[in-house]
Amino acid sequence: MAAPTSSSAGVPFSAIERRLACYLRALWGRPATLRDAGRRARVSIVAGAICMPNIFPAGAGEGIALHRAAAAHAAAHLVHSMHRFPLAKLRPIQVAIVSLIEDARIERLAWQDLPGLRRLWLRFHVALPDAIPNATSLMARLARALIDPDYRDHDGWVAKGRELFEAHGARLHDPSMSREIGALLGNDLGQMRMQFDYGRYLVEPAYRDDNAFLWEFPENKSAPPPESEPAVLAGTVTLETAGAIGGDRADQSPDRARREISPPQAVPAMEVPEAPPHRYPEWDYVIGVHRPAWCTVRERRAESGDPRAIDEILTRHEEVAARVARLVRSAQVGHAARLRRQVEGNDLDLDAAITAMADLRAGRTPSSRVYQRPGRIRRDLAVLWLLDLSRSTNDVVPGAGETILALARAATAVVAEAIATADDSFALHGFDSSGREDVGYYRFKDFDEPYAEGARARLAAMTGQRSTRMGAALRHAGHLLSQRRTARKLIVLVTDGAPHDIDVHDRWYLALDAKRAVDEQRRAGIATFCVSLDPGADAYVTRIFGAGNYLVLDHLRRLPEKLALVYLRWAAA
């Protein structure tokens, strides 16, 4: 940021108050009430009056131009911010970003009528794309991206904010767009686990007001919140703000006002994992290295539902279930072979007979297993069915009248019922995610558990929520599968879309990490096959799983039979 010049820096508000009042009247055609806010660092709007710092902090910008920019911005709020936002359960970082989006909204409306205001405000946006990424710097970069069309920023969160704002361009006169976009971006930034010290946060650039004017604080201020709960934003719990909100309370002490109007912060309950968390690396294709222990997989207890729901599914899909069962029964169970060292059989096993005779002559008791007979060797295969349980699986399939999740549950139930009769080793697991620190993993049926009432109850209760961090889930599934003592191991992933998560905005980042996870599993002797329910999946599944290792379904009604065919293909291999 450019240092202020001696000729313009430190200009007191008292020296230019009349000029600013005339300036605002010329802009908006209406009188504006201006007041001296003393040593405050930011402008505030109190009871319709614009309270200006007497002198802005050193380094904030050019004095007279900064006063004009600040007064014009506050006046734009008085013209275009006609509604207050309820705090509700917004987190402090969401409050800050909703305010940022509202600042951009009213400025966009203002310069549509008065284009020169854009040039006035733009000079104070000096955030750079190579700034150290933290919550404050990212918000300053987003603020610049929303006013400067020539600004380029490589950060995905900033790009997402700009795209969302431009996509809502037709709703500029609707303040609710600010809350929608800000709450969404605030949730994303919170999931990125960036520190945000809202006790010291100051709105940037310096010409923007403290935004307390935008918010409705709780009606009941008689009970002060715990002392450990600080204010939502620095500068919003001031004596002036108390006067604006509480009317006759403006004469109270700052400490009293601060206690009465500080909105309590909603503290989410900590979710304690039921098993020790598992940490896995994640491949960052941009820098070409694994980020060690980057993702945390948390196994959670799968809820139980009514197992009769699975029976009803099998009844509704009776014809499909019978067809799948016939497919499984018709498959050759194991490989044809001569079973040697049998107690009885049609022929002698010469090797076993020679060993028995040697034992007899040596005075040892010979084995009675000296026969051979034709038979089949049981398949040495373990299959882990891994279900994507992201929120998008709640979408209704056009023409089917059911959600993707309901169809996936029905298909899984049909295939599991058929496989259980073959006495093969299989498991049913699912996953979702909410950022790299919280990849949820659910076990509906484990390998050594019979497919009985308990497994059916858990399958009946599975729900779709959150996101799809596929690579971490595949690594954990591979870790569990590697503990099976079988010659062949297979993960069948059933998903409805590309990998995505709330803290990643690069569309290829998680896809290439999933590809890396698949390659790692293959080198460890674990095959991965993907059944995608996304008709447009060809653009990414080939790259992730490789040719011949995926199936894209256009008609979800065929899912049960296709899953059975995938199983039989690998079982007969």
Side-chain angles (χ1 to χ4, degrees):
M1 182 179 292
T5 62
S6 59
S7 60
S8 60
V11 176
F13 166 73
S14 55
I16 58 172
E17 179 179 357
R18 291 177 59 84
R19 292 166 61 184
L20 284 178
C22 293
Y23 175 68
L24 294 182
R25 182 160 194 146
L27 287 176
W28 304 105
R30 66 181 71 177
T33 302
L34 296 171
R35 293 180 184 166
D36 189 339
R39 295 193 226 174
R40 289 180 54 98
R42 290 291 184 269
V43 179
S44 61
I45 300 174
V46 179
I50 301 173
C51 300
M52 301 281 293
N54 189 38
I55 297 178
F56 280 96
E62 299 177 1
I64 296 176
L66 182 55
H67 278 296
R68 285 178 177 169
H73 176 85
H77 268 307
L78 293 173
V79 173
H80 296 295
S81 292
M82 304 303 294
H83 302 280
R84 304 293 172 267
F85 299 115
L87 281 172
K89 296 182 179 180
L90 291 181
R91 299 193 301 273
I93 196 167
Q94 290 177 309
V95 172
I97 299 176
V98 170
S99 301
L100 184 156
I101 300 297
E102 178 67 5
D103 284 339
R105 185 187 74 86
I106 61 101
E107 287 183 356
R108 182 73 60 94
L109 289 171
W111 83 57
Q112 286 179 350
D113 297 327
L114 303 164
L117 288 177
R118 183 179 191 167
R119 294 192 298 274
L120 173 65
W121 289 322
L122 184 56
R123 66 197 296 181
F124 297 101
H125 288 265
V126 294
L128 298 175
D130 57 354
I132 297 174
N134 54 50
T136 302
S137 70
L138 284 176
M139 284 191 280
R141 287 156 63 176
L142 176 59
R144 180 173 180 180
L146 297 183
I147 193 173
D148 185 356
D150 298 324
Y151 176 69
R152 297 292 177 265
D153 199 300
H154 61 273
D155 185 82
W157 183 83
V158 175
K160 181 179 180 180
R162 176 184 256 169
E163 290 172 5
L164 287 173
F165 188 85
E166 298 302 334
H168 288 73
R171 296 178 55 197
L172 283 176
H173 289 280
D174 180 8
S176 65
M177 69 167 277
S178 300
R179 185 182 178 94
E180 293 172 17
I181 297 173
L184 179 62
L185 293 175
N187 185 61
D188 285 359
L189 200 58
Q191 293 293 339
M192 291 161 67
R193 304 298 191 268
M194 289 192 174
Q195 295 295 323
F196 178 61
D197 187 352
Y198 49 87
R200 301 188 179 191
Y201 171 65
L202 286 176
V203 179
E204 290 292 342
Y207 72 81
R208 290 186 170 177
D209 61 284
D210 61 16
N211 288 317
F213 161 78
L214 298 175
W215 296 94
E216 285 183 354
F217 292 100
E219 291 291 334
N220 181 15
K221 309 180 190 69
S222 59
E227 294 182 3
S228 61
E229 294 179 348
V232 171
L233 292 176
T236 63
V237 283
T238 60
L239 183 61
E240 291 87 348
T241 310
I245 299 174
D248 58 355
R249 295 181 182 176
D251 59 345
Q252 297 177 359
S253 69
D255 289 341
R256 175 73 180 277
R258 186 173 290 110
R259 288 195 302 272
E260 291 188 342
I261 67 174
S262 297
Q265 179 191 5
V267 180
M270 179 178 294
E271 187 172 14
V272 180
E274 297 169 8
H278 301 262
R279 297 193 176 274
Y280 295 97
E282 189 167 79
W283 175 254
D284 189 333
Y285 80 97
V286 177
I287 58 177
V289 298
H290 275 106
R291 294 181 178 272
W294 191 249
C295 295
T296 303
V297 175
R298 303 179 187 276
E299 289 195 12
R300 294 193 170 89
R301 181 183 295 111
E303 300 295 331
S304 292
D306 187 351
R308 291 175 296 181
I310 301 300
D311 296 332
E312 293 172 3
I313 288 173
L314 296 174
T315 302
R316 286 201 313 271
H317 299 84
E318 184 175 3
E319 182 180 345
V320 175
R323 195 158 57 245
V324 170
R326 285 196 299 271
L327 281 172
V328 173
R329 284 197 303 269
S330 66
Q332 295 295 318
V333 182
H335 301 289
R338 299 292 295 178
L339 304 181
R340 300 182 182 278
R341 297 184 181 275
Q342 302 296 305
V343 175
E344 58 183 20
N346 302 328
D347 302 300
L348 279 175
D349 182 345
L350 292 181
D351 290 337
I354 292 171
T355 301
M357 287 301 296
D359 288 341
L360 186 61
R361 291 188 178 185
R364 295 189 294 266
T365 303
S367 172
S368 60
R369 294 180 175 272
V370 295
Y371 297 96
Q372 62 177 347
R373 60 182 175 82
R376 310 197 73 83
I377 299 176
R378 187 177 181 275
R379 287 191 298 265
D380 201 10
L381 171 69
V383 182
L384 191 153
W385 302 83
L386 184 61
L387 306 177
D388 171 5
L389 301 178
S390 58
R391 188 185 303 274
S392 57
T393 59
N394 295 321
D395 295 343
V396 176
V397 179
E402 293 183 274
T403 64
I404 295 172
L405 180 66
L407 290 175
R409 185 195 344 260
T412 304
V414 166
V415 175
E417 198 74 28
I419 297 176
T421 63
D423 197 27
D424 273 351
S425 177
F426 76 100
L428 299 174
H429 296 173
F431 74 98
D432 58 27
S433 66
S434 181
R436 66 183 181 88
E437 289 289 344
D438 189 7
V439 180
Y441 197 91
Y442 310 88
R443 302 196 198 191
F444 304 112
K445 177 200 174 298
D446 272 325
F447 288 105
D448 297 323
E449 177 186 6
Y451 184 63
E453 183 172 319
R456 291 187 180 94
R458 290 188 288 273
L459 190 62
M462 71 181 188
T463 57
Q465 57 186 351
R466 311 201 301 171
S467 301
T468 315
R469 207 173 196 104
M470 192 178 289
L474 284 173
R475 288 184 177 92
H476 190 59
H479 165 70
L480 298 175
L481 193 51
S482 66
Q483 300 172 18
R484 306 301 300 174
R485 294 185 176 180
T486 56
R488 291 181 298 141
K489 304 175 179 70
L490 171 67
I491 298 173
V492 179
L493 172 67
V494 182
T495 181
D496 72 322
H500 71 282
D501 211 339
I502 58 175
D503 58 350
V504 177
H505 309 288
D506 181 339
R507 62 187 295 263
W508 282 110
Y509 178 88
L510 291 179
L512 294 180
D513 172 62
K515 169 181 169 51
R516 193 78 175 192
V518 170
D519 293 342
E520 293 164 2
Q521 309 281 39
R522 184 168 56 250
R523 289 193 293 269
I526 299 174
T528 306
F529 191 92
C530 175
V531 177
S532 177
L533 313 181
D534 176 12
D538 294 279
Y540 56 86
V541 291
T542 305
R543 192 164 184 183
I544 296 175
F545 299 97
N549 293 319
Y550 69 91
L551 176 66
V552 178
L553 285 185
D554 295 326
H555 304 288
L556 298 191
R557 290 292 186 184
R558 301 168 58 194
L559 181 58
E561 292 174 90
K562 292 297 183 182
L563 289 182
L565 289 173
V566 169
Y567 162 74
L568 294 176
R569 167 192 161 183
W570 288 88

mmCIF file of all heavy atoms in Angstrom, residues 416-448:
data_model
loop_
_atom_site.group_PDB
_atom_site.id
_atom_site.type_symbol
_atom_site.label_atom_id
_atom_site.label_comp_id
_atom_site.label_asym_id
_atom_site.label_seq_id
_atom_site.Cartn_x
_atom_site.Cartn_y
_atom_site.Cartn_z
ATOM 1 N N ALA A 416 -26.099 -57.750 -2.484
ATOM 2 C CA ALA A 416 -25.595 -58.330 -1.233
ATOM 3 C C ALA A 416 -26.344 -59.604 -0.875
ATOM 4 O O ALA A 416 -25.753 -60.582 -0.398
ATOM 5 C CB ALA A 416 -25.712 -57.304 -0.104
ATOM 6 N N GLU A 417 -27.652 -59.605 -1.101
ATOM 7 C CA GLU A 417 -28.444 -60.799 -0.804
ATOM 8 C C GLU A 417 -27.976 -61.986 -1.643
ATOM 9 O O GLU A 417 -27.863 -63.113 -1.162
ATOM 10 C CB GLU A 417 -29.923 -60.504 -1.073
ATOM 11 C CG GLU A 417 -30.888 -61.473 -0.430
ATOM 12 C CD GLU A 417 -31.007 -61.266 1.085
ATOM 13 O OE1 GLU A 417 -30.808 -60.121 1.552
ATOM 14 O OE2 GLU A 417 -31.284 -62.266 1.777
ATOM 15 N N ALA A 418 -27.672 -61.705 -2.929
ATOM 16 C CA ALA A 418 -27.241 -62.789 -3.813
ATOM 17 C C ALA A 418 -25.842 -63.270 -3.462
ATOM 18 O O ALA A 418 -25.567 -64.481 -3.446
ATOM 19 C CB ALA A 418 -27.292 -62.313 -5.269
ATOM 20 N N ILE A 419 -24.929 -62.331 -3.157
ATOM 21 C CA ILE A 419 -23.552 -62.713 -2.851
ATOM 22 C C ILE A 419 -23.478 -63.480 -1.537
ATOM 23 O O ILE A 419 -22.652 -64.387 -1.375
ATOM 24 C CB ILE A 419 -22.643 -61.466 -2.811
ATOM 25 C CG1 ILE A 419 -22.597 -60.805 -4.183
ATOM 26 C CG2 ILE A 419 -21.246 -61.822 -2.362
ATOM 27 C CD1 ILE A 419 -21.801 -59.514 -4.195
ATOM 28 N N ALA A 420 -24.338 -63.088 -0.594
ATOM 29 C CA ALA A 420 -24.315 -63.764 0.707
ATOM 30 C C ALA A 420 -24.572 -65.252 0.553
ATOM 31 O O ALA A 420 -24.034 -66.076 1.301
ATOM 32 C CB ALA A 420 -25.339 -63.131 1.643
ATOM 33 N N THR A 421 -25.403 -65.639 -0.426
ATOM 34 C CA THR A 421 -25.687 -67.064 -0.636
ATOM 35 C C THR A 421 -24.488 -67.808 -1.205
ATOM 36 O O THR A 421 -24.408 -69.027 -1.106
ATOM 37 C CB THR A 421 -26.879 -67.225 -1.594
ATOM 38 O OG1 THR A 421 -26.535 -66.667 -2.876
ATOM 39 C CG2 THR A 421 -28.110 -66.514 -1.063
ATOM 40 N N ALA A 422 -23.543 -67.071 -1.829
ATOM 41 C CA ALA A 422 -22.344 -67.695 -2.401
ATOM 42 C C ALA A 422 -21.245 -67.874 -1.362
ATOM 43 O O ALA A 422 -20.188 -68.431 -1.660
ATOM 44 C CB ALA A 422 -21.821 -66.859 -3.564
ATOM 45 N N ASP A 423 -21.489 -67.350 -0.151
ATOM 46 C CA ASP A 423 -20.532 -67.500 0.939
ATOM 47 C C ASP A 423 -19.175 -66.884 0.605
ATOM 48 O O ASP A 423 -18.139 -67.381 1.015
ATOM 49 C CB ASP A 423 -20.364 -68.978 1.302
ATOM 50 C CG ASP A 423 -19.713 -69.143 2.681
ATOM 51 O OD1 ASP A 423 -19.870 -68.234 3.515
ATOM 52 O OD2 ASP A 423 -19.021 -70.143 2.894
ATOM 53 N N ASP A 424 -19.196 -65.784 -0.160
ATOM 54 C CA ASP A 424 -17.960 -65.068 -0.457
ATOM 55 C C ASP A 424 -17.704 -64.003 0.596
ATOM 56 O O ASP A 424 -18.628 -63.536 1.274
ATOM 57 C CB ASP A 424 -18.044 -64.408 -1.838
ATOM 58 C CG ASP A 424 -17.600 -65.363 -2.936
ATOM 59 O OD1 ASP A 424 -17.078 -66.446 -2.601
ATOM 60 O OD2 ASP A 424 -17.782 -65.027 -4.114
ATOM 61 N N SER A 425 -16.449 -63.608 0.707
ATOM 62 C CA SER A 425 -16.062 -62.590 1.683
ATOM 63 C C SER A 425 -16.305 -61.210 1.087
ATOM 64 O O SER A 425 -15.697 -60.833 0.086
ATOM 65 C CB SER A 425 -14.586 -62.764 2.053
ATOM 66 O OG SER A 425 -14.173 -61.754 2.947
ATOM 67 N N PHE A 426 -17.223 -60.431 1.700
ATOM 68 C CA PHE A 426 -17.481 -59.077 1.196
ATOM 69 C C PHE A 426 -17.854 -58.156 2.348
ATOM 70 O O PHE A 426 -18.283 -58.596 3.413
ATOM 71 C CB PHE A 426 -18.575 -59.092 0.124
ATOM 72 C CG PHE A 426 -19.982 -59.255 0.643
ATOM 73 C CD1 PHE A 426 -20.832 -58.170 0.778
ATOM 74 C CD2 PHE A 426 -20.458 -60.515 0.998
ATOM 75 C CE1 PHE A 426 -22.126 -58.326 1.239
ATOM 76 C CE2 PHE A 426 -21.751 -60.686 1.463
ATOM 77 C CZ PHE A 426 -22.593 -59.583 1.585
ATOM 78 N N ALA A 427 -17.670 -56.851 2.096
ATOM 79 C CA ALA A 427 -17.998 -55.824 3.076
ATOM 80 C C ALA A 427 -18.738 -54.700 2.370
ATOM 81 O O ALA A 427 -18.527 -54.454 1.176
ATOM 82 C CB ALA A 427 -16.744 -55.290 3.755
ATOM 83 N N LEU A 428 -19.604 -54.004 3.107
ATOM 84 C CA LEU A 428 -20.343 -52.850 2.592
ATOM 85 C C LEU A 428 -19.973 -51.641 3.436
ATOM 86 O O LEU A 428 -20.299 -51.595 4.628
ATOM 87 C CB LEU A 428 -21.853 -53.097 2.677
ATOM 88 C CG LEU A 428 -22.425 -54.281 1.899
ATOM 89 C CD1 LEU A 428 -23.898 -54.454 2.221
ATOM 90 C CD2 LEU A 428 -22.219 -54.086 0.416
ATOM 91 N N HIS A 429 -19.284 -50.670 2.844
ATOM 92 C CA HIS A 429 -18.878 -49.457 3.550
ATOM 93 C C HIS A 429 -19.336 -48.228 2.770
ATOM 94 O O HIS A 429 -19.683 -48.327 1.581
ATOM 95 C CB HIS A 429 -17.349 -49.410 3.724
ATOM 96 C CG HIS A 429 -16.805 -50.500 4.585
ATOM 97 N ND1 HIS A 429 -15.452 -50.721 4.749
ATOM 98 C CD2 HIS A 429 -17.426 -51.447 5.347
ATOM 99 C CE1 HIS A 429 -15.267 -51.747 5.564
ATOM 100 N NE2 HIS A 429 -16.448 -52.202 5.933
ATOM 101 N N GLY A 430 -19.326 -47.073 3.406
ATOM 102 C CA GLY A 430 -19.690 -45.814 2.755
ATOM 103 C C GLY A 430 -18.845 -44.675 3.285
ATOM 104 O O GLY A 430 -18.169 -44.806 4.311
ATOM 105 N N PHE A 431 -18.885 -43.535 2.594
ATOM 106 C CA PHE A 431 -18.069 -42.390 3.030
ATOM 107 C C PHE A 431 -18.710 -41.078 2.594
ATOM 108 O O PHE A 431 -19.500 -41.027 1.648
ATOM 109 C CB PHE A 431 -16.650 -42.493 2.465
ATOM 110 C CG PHE A 431 -16.550 -42.179 0.985
ATOM 111 C CD1 PHE A 431 -16.151 -40.925 0.550
ATOM 112 C CD2 PHE A 431 -16.859 -43.142 0.032
ATOM 113 C CE1 PHE A 431 -16.073 -40.636 -0.807
ATOM 114 C CE2 PHE A 431 -16.776 -42.874 -1.319
ATOM 115 C CZ PHE A 431 -16.374 -41.611 -1.743
ATOM 116 N N ASP A 432 -18.367 -40.027 3.310
ATOM 117 C CA ASP A 432 -18.656 -38.652 2.916
ATOM 118 C C ASP A 432 -17.531 -37.789 3.480
ATOM 119 O O ASP A 432 -16.572 -38.314 4.078
ATOM 120 C CB ASP A 432 -20.029 -38.185 3.413
ATOM 121 C CG ASP A 432 -20.169 -38.281 4.933
ATOM 122 O OD1 ASP A 432 -19.146 -38.212 5.641
ATOM 123 O OD2 ASP A 432 -21.298 -38.438 5.425
ATOM 124 N N SER A 433 -17.594 -36.476 3.309
ATOM 125 C CA SER A 433 -16.504 -35.636 3.806
ATOM 126 C C SER A 433 -16.983 -34.209 3.995
ATOM 127 O O SER A 433 -17.975 -33.773 3.405
ATOM 128 C CB SER A 433 -15.305 -35.652 2.839
ATOM 129 O OG SER A 433 -15.651 -35.032 1.613
ATOM 130 N N SER A 434 -16.251 -33.496 4.826
ATOM 131 C CA SER A 434 -16.472 -32.058 5.024
ATOM 132 C C SER A 434 -15.121 -31.419 5.286
ATOM 133 O O SER A 434 -14.801 -31.006 6.395
ATOM 134 C CB SER A 434 -17.429 -31.818 6.197
ATOM 135 O OG SER A 434 -17.665 -30.426 6.361
ATOM 136 N N GLY A 435 -14.307 -31.377 4.242
ATOM 137 C CA GLY A 435 -12.945 -30.868 4.386
ATOM 138 C C GLY A 435 -11.968 -31.978 4.695
ATOM 139 O O GLY A 435 -12.351 -33.098 5.059
ATOM 140 N N ARG A 436 -10.698 -31.643 4.566
ATOM 141 C CA ARG A 436 -9.668 -32.679 4.690
ATOM 142 C C ARG A 436 -9.543 -33.235 6.103
ATOM 143 O O ARG A 436 -9.029 -34.327 6.304
ATOM 144 C CB ARG A 436 -8.314 -32.113 4.245
ATOM 145 C CG ARG A 436 -7.759 -31.002 5.128
ATOM 146 C CD ARG A 436 -6.455 -30.463 4.566
ATOM 147 N NE ARG A 436 -5.869 -29.421 5.380
ATOM 148 C CZ ARG A 436 -5.045 -29.629 6.391
ATOM 149 N NH1 ARG A 436 -4.717 -30.862 6.717
ATOM 150 N NH2 ARG A 436 -4.541 -28.628 7.081
ATOM 151 N N GLU A 437 -10.011 -32.506 7.108
ATOM 152 C CA GLU A 437 -9.897 -32.968 8.483
ATOM 153 C C GLU A 437 -11.081 -33.823 8.927
ATOM 154 O O GLU A 437 -11.105 -34.291 10.054
ATOM 155 C CB GLU A 437 -9.755 -31.767 9.434
ATOM 156 C CG GLU A 437 -8.423 -31.052 9.336
ATOM 157 C CD GLU A 437 -7.281 -31.874 9.919
ATOM 158 O OE1 GLU A 437 -7.559 -32.840 10.650
ATOM 159 O OE2 GLU A 437 -6.116 -31.555 9.637
ATOM 160 N N ASP A 438 -12.052 -34.011 8.039
ATOM 161 C CA ASP A 438 -13.245 -34.746 8.470
ATOM 162 C C ASP A 438 -13.813 -35.551 7.305
ATOM 163 O O ASP A 438 -14.804 -35.181 6.697
ATOM 164 C CB ASP A 438 -14.296 -33.772 9.001
ATOM 165 C CG ASP A 438 -15.458 -34.494 9.675
ATOM 166 O OD1 ASP A 438 -15.370 -35.718 9.844
ATOM 167 O OD2 ASP A 438 -16.447 -33.821 10.026
ATOM 168 N N VAL A 439 -13.154 -36.673 7.016
ATOM 169 C CA VAL A 439 -13.675 -37.625 6.036
ATOM 170 C C VAL A 439 -14.374 -38.726 6.830
ATOM 171 O O VAL A 439 -13.730 -39.492 7.545
ATOM 172 C CB VAL A 439 -12.550 -38.208 5.164
ATOM 173 C CG1 VAL A 439 -13.117 -39.191 4.153
ATOM 174 C CG2 VAL A 439 -11.797 -37.086 4.445
ATOM 175 N N GLY A 440 -15.697 -38.770 6.730
ATOM 176 C CA GLY A 440 -16.471 -39.757 7.481
ATOM 177 C C GLY A 440 -16.474 -41.106 6.788
ATOM 178 O O GLY A 440 -16.585 -41.185 5.554
ATOM 179 N N TYR A 441 -16.339 -42.166 7.568
ATOM 180 C CA TYR A 441 -16.302 -43.519 7.011
ATOM 181 C C TYR A 441 -17.245 -44.388 7.832
ATOM 182 O O TYR A 441 -17.187 -44.394 9.065
ATOM 183 C CB TYR A 441 -14.879 -44.074 7.066
ATOM 184 C CG TYR A 441 -14.642 -45.276 6.175
ATOM 185 C CD1 TYR A 441 -14.197 -45.119 4.868
ATOM 186 C CD2 TYR A 441 -14.869 -46.571 6.632
ATOM 187 C CE1 TYR A 441 -13.979 -46.214 4.041
ATOM 188 C CE2 TYR A 441 -14.659 -47.670 5.823
ATOM 189 C CZ TYR A 441 -14.212 -47.478 4.524
ATOM 190 O OH TYR A 441 -14.004 -48.559 3.698
ATOM 191 N N TYR A 442 -18.119 -45.133 7.142
ATOM 192 C CA TYR A 442 -19.177 -45.891 7.801
ATOM 193 C C TYR A 442 -19.117 -47.358 7.355
ATOM 194 O O TYR A 442 -19.034 -47.647 6.165
ATOM 195 C CB TYR A 442 -20.546 -45.301 7.447
ATOM 196 C CG TYR A 442 -20.624 -43.806 7.656
ATOM 197 C CD1 TYR A 442 -20.252 -42.929 6.635
ATOM 198 C CD2 TYR A 442 -21.043 -43.269 8.867
ATOM 199 C CE1 TYR A 442 -20.303 -41.549 6.816
ATOM 200 C CE2 TYR A 442 -21.095 -41.896 9.059
ATOM 201 C CZ TYR A 442 -20.718 -41.044 8.029
ATOM 202 O OH TYR A 442 -20.764 -39.688 8.219
ATOM 203 N N ARG A 443 -19.199 -48.264 8.330
ATOM 204 C CA ARG A 443 -19.190 -49.693 8.027
ATOM 205 C C ARG A 443 -20.601 -50.253 8.238
ATOM 206 O O ARG A 443 -21.068 -50.359 9.366
ATOM 207 C CB ARG A 443 -18.209 -50.427 8.924
ATOM 208 C CG ARG A 443 -16.766 -49.939 8.832
ATOM 209 C CD ARG A 443 -15.859 -50.978 9.450
ATOM 210 N NE ARG A 443 -14.546 -50.440 9.799
ATOM 211 C CZ ARG A 443 -13.525 -51.191 10.156
ATOM 212 N NH1 ARG A 443 -13.665 -52.502 10.234
ATOM 213 N NH2 ARG A 443 -12.360 -50.653 10.467
ATOM 214 N N PHE A 444 -21.253 -50.615 7.140
ATOM 215 C CA PHE A 444 -22.589 -51.199 7.221
ATOM 216 C C PHE A 444 -22.508 -52.716 7.407
ATOM 217 O O PHE A 444 -23.343 -53.299 8.086
ATOM 218 C CB PHE A 444 -23.390 -50.854 5.961
ATOM 219 C CG PHE A 444 -23.471 -49.378 5.702
ATOM 220 C CD1 PHE A 444 -22.828 -48.802 4.615
ATOM 221 C CD2 PHE A 444 -24.147 -48.543 6.570
ATOM 222 C CE1 PHE A 444 -22.891 -47.442 4.384
ATOM 223 C CE2 PHE A 444 -24.217 -47.179 6.353
ATOM 224 C CZ PHE A 444 -23.573 -46.629 5.258
ATOM 225 N N LYS A 445 -21.504 -53.337 6.792
ATOM 226 C CA LYS A 445 -21.246 -54.758 6.993
ATOM 227 C C LYS A 445 -19.755 -54.991 6.830
ATOM 228 O O LYS A 445 -19.155 -54.520 5.862
ATOM 229 C CB LYS A 445 -22.007 -55.619 5.980
ATOM 230 C CG LYS A 445 -21.699 -57.114 6.127
ATOM 231 C CD LYS A 445 -22.041 -57.896 4.896
ATOM 232 C CE LYS A 445 -21.593 -59.341 5.007
ATOM 233 N NZ LYS A 445 -20.129 -59.495 5.162
ATOM 234 N N ASP A 446 -19.155 -55.698 7.774
ATOM 235 C CA ASP A 446 -17.737 -56.023 7.679
ATOM 236 C C ASP A 446 -17.550 -57.430 7.113
ATOM 237 O O ASP A 446 -18.495 -58.214 6.998
ATOM 238 C CB ASP A 446 -17.069 -55.911 9.047
ATOM 239 C CG ASP A 446 -16.564 -54.497 9.307
ATOM 240 O OD1 ASP A 446 -16.128 -53.841 8.341
ATOM 241 O OD2 ASP A 446 -16.621 -54.050 10.464
ATOM 242 N N PHE A 447 -16.307 -57.755 6.783
ATOM 243 C CA PHE A 447 -16.007 -59.022 6.119
ATOM 244 C C PHE A 447 -16.438 -60.231 6.945
ATOM 245 O O PHE A 447 -17.044 -61.165 6.430
ATOM 246 C CB PHE A 447 -14.509 -59.111 5.821
ATOM 247 C CG PHE A 447 -14.070 -58.204 4.704
ATOM 248 C CD1 PHE A 447 -13.379 -57.032 4.980
ATOM 249 C CD2 PHE A 447 -14.346 -58.519 3.388
ATOM 250 C CE1 PHE A 447 -12.974 -56.190 3.961
ATOM 251 C CE2 PHE A 447 -13.951 -57.684 2.354
ATOM 252 C CZ PHE A 447 -13.259 -56.515 2.639
ATOM 253 N N ASP A 448 -16.112 -60.221 8.221
ATOM 254 C CA ASP A 448 -16.377 -61.391 9.053
ATOM 255 C C ASP A 448 -17.769 -61.378 9.673
ATOM 256 O O ASP A 448 -18.094 -62.227 10.507
ATOM 257 C CB ASP A 448 -15.327 -61.485 10.169
ATOM 258 C CG ASP A 448 -13.927 -61.696 9.592
ATOM 259 O OD1 ASP A 448 -13.806 -62.422 8.582
ATOM 260 O OD2 ASP A 448 -12.964 -61.117 10.140
#
